[in-house]
Amino acid sequence: MEILLRVRLLAAVAILVAACGGGGGGGSSPPTGTPPPPTSNFTDPVVYSSVNTAFLPSAAEITAVTHHQLTLNGTTLNYTATVGHLSALNLGNQAPEASFFYVAYTLDGSAPATRPVTFFYNGGPGSASVWLHLGSFGPKRLDTGEPNMTAATPYPLVDNAESMLDLTDLVFVDAVGTGLSQAIAPYTNSSFFGTDADAAVFRDFVMRYAAVNNRTTSPKFLYGESYGGPRSAILADLLESAGVHVAGVVLQSPALDYNSNCGILNLILSCTSYIPSFGAIGSWFNLSTPSASVAQLPAFEDSVRTFVTAQYEPAIQAFLHSGVRPADGQLTQVANISGLPKAFWVTSPNMDPEFYRINLKPGTLLGRYDGRVNIPNTFAAGQEPDPSSSIISPSFGQRIVEYLASLGYTTPSSYTMLSGAINSWNFSHDGRQVPDTVPDLASAMVQNPRLKVMSVNGWHDTVTPFFTTEMDLARIGKPIAVHEYVGGHMTYLENSSRRAMKADIAAFYGSALAN
Amino acid sequence: MRIDRLILAAAILASLAAAAQQMPPAKFETEHRDPWVPPATRAKAAAEPRVAPTTAAALDAQVEAKLRKRFEAAASPDGTLTREQASSAGLGGIAERFDAIDPSGRGVIRFEDYLSYLRSQRPR
């Protein structure tokens, strides 16, 4: 009798463990390669902090491990999710610097030494990797319904038919002071709140991940978004310098040169590289003359680029230097392209993207990240939010917490989606006040001529305009694939674009690995 | 009685497990979405002399300066670098290719040797 009861209790506990997220394994055993580690849940007792002065006295490297399945193109993939912390070690003295929180997805049965591994991170600086993690190419994604934004929130977490798990293992890692990542004494979080220090500690994380997981020989890819673009450029240079070779870099809507983007600095810079994006948004609302359909956009944008390069940019340089306004015909043409009435262009020939999104459709506020997303403009001047960001943010915040628990990891800590790091960030880099990381990317490509670079951008993004990125990358003078898709900064939220991106990324990985 | 206790224990375990599931809500500490720089940084950047984006030879010179700075920080005062010096300075990219950079086998290289080696490399 007593034995039977014990068995029942064990069964009850086993059911609890399964309910904690340990389940989901099952299925067929992997054919070859390293067997996956056993399932383990982890209730992390540490309370993590994002504040500048915070540090951990020391850090353990403990993970929760669960097993799952995902069907991609009719093939069932068995994979392991590993959630927890790893300590980045200083390249010089190997002392712990920061305890990085990460979620890794590894394909069961593959050989770790040859299987590609990709490190994903968002930007900010001060953003957790949650946007790429739950939005782009992980095994699960939030179904946002962008750009209509009429779906009920929180958005459902669904299996991701475009996951990159068939191409590569995926590691989503949070910058120090974001997510659940924190500095280790004698460092504080703010020790890494700088463009150079941040990239260096990311290098040390990548090296630690590779060393601990038998991945030193795995082909390595970097996938960074927005500020994650300049982070990738510097990180690729630092990794190559350290002898860690990078097979490929995917730049998602990168801000590679802060000195080339008038939306970041101010109107002392020319804003003309935004005009092609204005043309896409004006066309979306049928306000451009003529308005291009989505299918017509590539040809339409070719003509807009030509107009900007040959006519409007020289005119704006003259305007900025001597106050001479562009010719009347040029103002007519830019008004037709953008859909914004000519009177505005007469007043402000160097049109600011913020003005554009507020004034294109009177009474309607367009998104910064995605100019297609729009809401009634009921806001005081200067207080306009970005609906393409504010509408999706609460869902990502709620789902990441639930999702981490479903992967067997829980903590008393709050997951920091966006930290205040940006307010005290040291942006200086290579003698400039704000970073130009094109030389860093060029340096990585000189050290490793086989390194491949690809950029993915949204036609309707008005924070990192695709034309700016094209011109930034053209400086390097080497073949770099630049792709544009329907959508904003986070092109992967758009279902048709995520599918197209996956195909282009698969081709890119193929070419980088055939190298 | 004993059965009741066991059921109670299981119930307590269940509630503890449920409590452990409750992570606090995620935090948003700033309204600023990237790319963005604080006003003070923007003012300092705006005060810098405007320079055209570098390309071609000017960009090559920036890359070379970056590589030279690292090399010289690790090298002896006379500008020579051994494999050991490269390794201990974290320049694994030089250390692992030291023999190719130093085909004469002298055991020390200069920055010009490294640069010549890099220029001889071509994408496959």
Side-chain angles (χ1 to χ4, degrees), chain A residues 244-287:
Chain A
V244 178
H245 298 297
V246 180
V249 176
V250 183
L251 302 163
Q252 168 86 48
S253 308
L256 286 168
D257 181 5
Y258 272 45
N259 301 281
S260 72
N261 187 324
C262 89
I264 302 175
L265 277 193
N266 58 25
L267 298 179
I268 60 168
L269 298 182
S270 164
C271 292
T272 62
S273 60
Y274 278 79
I275 290 171
S277 309
F278 296 161
I281 295 165
S283 289
W284 181 264
F285 293 106
N286 281 314
L287 293 169

Side-chain angles (χ1 to χ4, degrees), chain A residues 359-378:
Chain A
N359 292 286
L360 178 67
K361 282 170 70 74
T364 297
L365 179 65
L366 311 188
R368 282 178 75 229
Y369 276 0
D370 187 339
R372 302 172 305 159
V373 175
N374 61 96
I375 56 174
N377 190 355
T378 56

Side-chain angles (χ1 to χ4, degrees), chain A residues 262-327:
Chain A
C262 89
I264 302 175
L265 277 193
N266 58 25
L267 298 179
I268 60 168
L269 298 182
S270 164
C271 292
T272 62
S273 60
Y274 278 79
I275 290 171
S277 309
F278 296 161
I281 295 165
S283 289
W284 181 264
F285 293 106
N286 281 314
L287 293 169
S288 300
T289 309
S291 285
S293 68
V294 163
Q296 292 166 332
L297 266 183
F300 170 82
E301 295 292 8
D302 280 347
S303 68
V304 177
R305 289 184 187 96
T306 302
F307 165 71
V308 171
T309 304
Q311 295 194 46
Y312 208 72
E313 169 63 12
I316 289 300
Q317 287 301 332
F319 174 70
L320 291 173
H321 286 109
S322 56
V324 179
R325 286 177 189 279

Side-chain angles (χ1 to χ4, degrees), chain A residues 50 124 237 245 430 475, chain B residues 27 29 34 54 66 70 96:
Chain A
S50 61
D237 176 48
H245 298 297
D430 271 356
R475 289 168 54 194
Chain B
K27 286 189 297 184
E29 297 182 339
D34 66 341
T54 50
K66 190 181 287 289
R70 268 182 214 145
E96 69 176 2

Side-chain angles (χ1 to χ4, degrees), chain A residues 42-189:
Chain A
F42 179 41
T43 298
D44 189 343
V46 177
V47 178
Y48 298 95
S49 169
S50 61
V51 305
N52 287 31
T53 53
F55 61 85
L56 299 168
S58 63
E61 297 182 319
I62 307 177
T63 55
V65 177
T66 51
H67 301 291
H68 311 267
Q69 288 187 330
L70 176 69
T71 299
L72 286 185
N73 299 321
T75 302
T76 299
L77 305 179
N78 292 303
Y79 68 92
T80 299
T82 304
V83 186
H85 285 78
L86 270 181
S87 297
L89 308 180
N90 182 278
L91 181 64
N93 60 19
Q94 294 294 296
E97 298 170 307
S99 180
F100 271 94
F101 182 73
Y102 71 101
V103 180
Y105 302 99
T106 48
L107 188 69
D108 295 344
S110 57
T114 53
R115 166 93 171 148
V117 57
T118 304
F119 297 90
F120 291 81
Y121 35 81
N122 282 91
S127 175
S129 65
V130 60
W131 315 102
L132 284 167
H133 186 183
L134 296 190
S136 69
F137 298 106
K140 303 269 187 189
R141 66 175 180 85
L142 280 187
D143 193 11
T144 64
E146 178 138 329
N148 296 325
M149 300 301 193
T150 50
T153 58
Y155 303 123
L157 195 64
V158 300
D159 278 359
N160 189 356
E162 288 78 46
S163 175
M164 285 165 58
L165 193 60
D166 57 341
L167 304 174
T168 171
D169 289 342
L170 317 167
V171 181
F172 294 88
V173 54
D174 292 326
V176 178
T178 78
L180 300 167
S181 296
Q182 191 174 341
I184 300 172
Y187 301 95
T188 63
N189 283 343

Side-chain angles (χ1 to χ4, degrees), chain A residues 2 50 124 226-227 237 241 243 245 264-265 369 389 410-412 414-415 417-420 430 433 440 447 475, chain B residues 2 20-21 23-27 29-30 33-34 38 42 48 50 54 66 70 90-93 96-97 123-124:
Chain A
E2 194 165 344
S50 61
S226 201
Y227 180 82
D237 176 48
S241 179
H245 298 297
I264 302 175
L265 277 193
Y369 276 0
S389 175
T410 51
T411 166
S414 289
Y415 186 90
M417 306 283 287
L418 283 161
S419 84
D430 271 356
Q433 290 290 339
D440 301 86
Q447 292 172 79
R475 289 168 54 194
Chain B
R2 195 179 280 164
Q21 295 298 309
M23 266 176 75
K27 286 189 297 184
E29 297 182 339
T30 179
R33 300 293 193 265
D34 66 341
R42 182 177 305 156
E48 284 182 330
R50 297 258 64 79
T54 50
K66 190 181 287 289
R70 268 182 214 145
L91 299 180
E96 69 176 2
R97 294 178 285 188
R124 286 189 209 172

